[in-house]
Amino acid sequence: MGPRLVFDTYDDIRGRCDTAPVRQPGSKPGYDHGAIVPSGDWVPLTADEAERHQADDSASDSIRIEFVRRPLPPLDPDDLSGRLEIAARLDPLNGRWPTTLLGCASSPGNWTTTTEDSTTGRRIGLHIDNFDRLPYPRRHQSRRRLCLNLGPGPRYLLIADHDIQQICRTLHADLDRHHPHTEDIRRYVAAGYPLRCLRIRLEPGDGYIAPTEFLAHDGSTAGIDQPSVAAFWLGQPPNAS
C-alpha cells in the first residue's frame, strides 16, 4: 500500500510535501554503486495525492507516518554538544511509549541524501533499516523509528511510495525465508519498475515516527545551506498492529 501520512486536512501538509521519481546515479562520487536517489524533479503534493496518502482508521501501523513536534531550547547554531545533550535527556514522546535512543547524526547542507555507510563513508540512498532483521512474513512487526530535527537548519524526510513487501513480491518467488534488504530496492529500480519518493520538510523541532524497516527512506538537506542534527530513537507502542 505504500506510506500513509497522519494529518487532519490538506492545509496541514500543503507546501510541506513534494513528490518526484527516483533514479540510480550510477558512479556518482560519494555514493554506493546502485544507490537510489530522488531525481530532483520535485512537484508539490496535490490535494488528490494527499488524500490517497492520508492514513485512515484501517491503515496498519506498519505503513503509518506520524508527525511530532517538540519545542527546543535556544542554542547557538554551532553548538553541536548542546544538541547531543538535548537528545540524551529528552523523552521525545512524553512517556506515550518507551523508546531507546539510537544516537544522533549531523548532516551538512545541500546533500541529496544524508545516510552514510559507516564502513565505507559512501552514501547509501533510499534504504530500509535492519535493527530487528525480521523476515518477509513478519517484516510489518518491526519496531518504528522516531526522528527529531534538532537544527539549526531544516531537513527533509524522504519516503518511497512502495513498501518493501510490495517490492519483494515483485522480485521473488519464494518469500517465506527471504529477509528484505536495501538491495531489493536497488534491484527493483534497476529492473525498470516505477518508484516515486515523497519529500517532507522538517523544521527544527519537527520530527516523525515511521516504520523505517518497512518503508524505504532517507534524509535530505538538498537546497538547504545550513547543517542539521537529527536524533533517532527506536520503539514500539504496546498495541502496535
Side-chain angles (χ1 to χ4, degrees), residues 63-205:
I63 56 172
R64 291 169 69 94
I65 299 173
E66 180 180 347
F67 303 112
V68 297
R69 174 140 189 98
R70 292 298 305 269
L72 301 177
L75 289 169
D76 185 274
D78 297 324
D79 187 359
L80 174 60
S81 62
R83 287 176 168 80
L84 299 180
E85 290 172 8
I86 288 172
R89 65 174 184 263
L90 184 66
D91 179 355
L93 294 179
N94 287 326
R96 240 176 78 192
W97 38 273
T99 56
T100 300
L101 179 65
L102 295 174
C104 297
S106 180
S107 304
N110 289 304
W111 272 20
T112 303
T113 62
T114 59
T115 304
E116 294 180 297
D117 182 337
S118 60
T119 63
T120 65
R122 292 193 294 266
R123 281 175 272 173
I124 62 176
L126 290 177
H127 62 280
I128 55 169
D129 292 337
N130 253 319
F131 295 107
D132 293 339
R133 301 182 183 277
L134 294 182
Y136 172 91
R138 297 178 51 219
R139 194 71 183 194
H140 62 285
Q141 298 172 342
S142 300
R143 287 174 294 173
R144 282 173 284 173
R145 194 177 73 179
L146 187 149
C147 171
L148 191 66
N149 179 16
L150 302 179
R155 61 191 292 126
Y156 293 103
L157 166 66
L158 306 177
I159 291 283
D161 68 348
H162 286 58
D163 65 57
I164 195 62
Q165 284 186 331
Q166 290 175 297
I167 290 170
C168 288
R169 282 197 299 270
T170 303
L171 296 175
H172 304 288
D174 182 7
L175 290 166
D176 286 345
R177 297 185 180 181
H178 181 68
H179 282 72
H181 192 274
T182 295
E183 286 300 325
D184 290 317
I185 307 163
R186 297 175 180 180
R187 287 181 56 194
Y188 182 86
V189 173
Y193 293 107
L195 193 67
R196 293 187 69 83
C197 181
L198 295 176
R199 181 178 74 168
I200 303 164
R201 187 177 176 94
L202 303 170
E203 299 293 337

Side-chain angles (χ1 to χ4, degrees), residues 31-72:
Y31 274 90
D32 271 356
H33 179 72
I36 306 299
V37 302
S39 69
D41 300 324
W42 295 106
V43 294
L45 197 70
T46 67
D48 286 345
E49 289 171 328
E51 184 177 356
R52 287 197 296 272
H53 284 292
Q54 186 174 20
D56 58 22
D57 292 342
S58 67
S60 166
D61 290 329
S62 64
I63 56 172
R64 291 169 69 94
I65 299 173
E66 180 180 347
F67 303 112
V68 297
R69 174 140 189 98
R70 292 298 305 269
L72 301 177

